[in-house]
Amino acid sequence: MRTYRKRLLVARHRGPTSPMKPVEEYIVSILNQMANMRQALCVSEGLALANALIEGTEWEKKVIEFKKKRGWNELDDKGNKKQPLGKKWYKGFFKRNSHSNERTRAA
């Protein structure tokens, strides 16, 4: 028997939702505004922006709690506090919001 892709239904479990989901829309709007002003941010600048936005808020607490449940340590080897959002979050953020991000044309 042959299986056809068009008929195949696969349940996709995408995993837990990001605790940053409500804040991500605001971050997207900031990134789009920056892109409209021709001031696109690199990954490190985008991460610094996102971490600065949530610093000292309930969202930072939610992210830290979410990550601690999954074995994340808040302190690095030297005892310094780590940033709650990292490159993996940023990569997932762009995947989740690729439809909302404005792209600038190459000049």
Side-chain angles (χ1 to χ4, degrees):
M1 183 172 184
R2 188 173 180 131
T3 303
Y4 294 96
R5 279 190 187 269
K6 292 179 183 177
R7 295 184 199 162
L8 186 63
L9 296 175
V10 179
R12 296 181 74 186
H13 178 62
R14 299 184 185 264
T17 58
S18 171
M20 284 289 294
K21 187 72 174 158
V23 182
E24 287 181 0
E25 293 176 29
Y26 181 65
I27 295 171
V28 167
S29 69
I30 291 173
L31 293 178
N32 286 338
Q33 186 63 36
M34 295 291 288
N36 288 337
M37 296 186 307
R38 299 275 186 199
Q39 297 293 323
L41 300 177
C42 66
V43 174
S44 61
E45 292 170 336
L47 278 172
L49 170 71
N51 280 311
L53 283 174
I54 67 166
E55 186 175 7
T57 65
E58 66 178 287
W59 302 110
E60 181 182 34
K61 293 174 189 170
K62 288 181 180 182
V63 169
I64 290 172
E65 181 182 318
F66 179 83
K67 291 179 87 169
K68 280 185 175 180
K69 285 181 183 177
R70 286 151 181 83
W72 183 71
N73 189 3
E74 195 173 353
L75 303 175
D76 63 7
D77 297 335
K78 298 177 182 176
N80 299 327
K81 184 178 175 186
K82 292 182 195 174
Q83 293 293 327
L85 302 175
K87 289 183 180 181
K88 287 184 181 180
W89 171 81
Y90 203 71
K91 185 177 179 180
F93 165 72
F94 266 93
K95 273 186 173 179
R96 287 188 296 277
N97 297 291
S98 61
H99 63 284
S100 301
N101 294 332
E102 293 182 9
R103 303 209 189 281
T104 56
R105 290 180 286 187

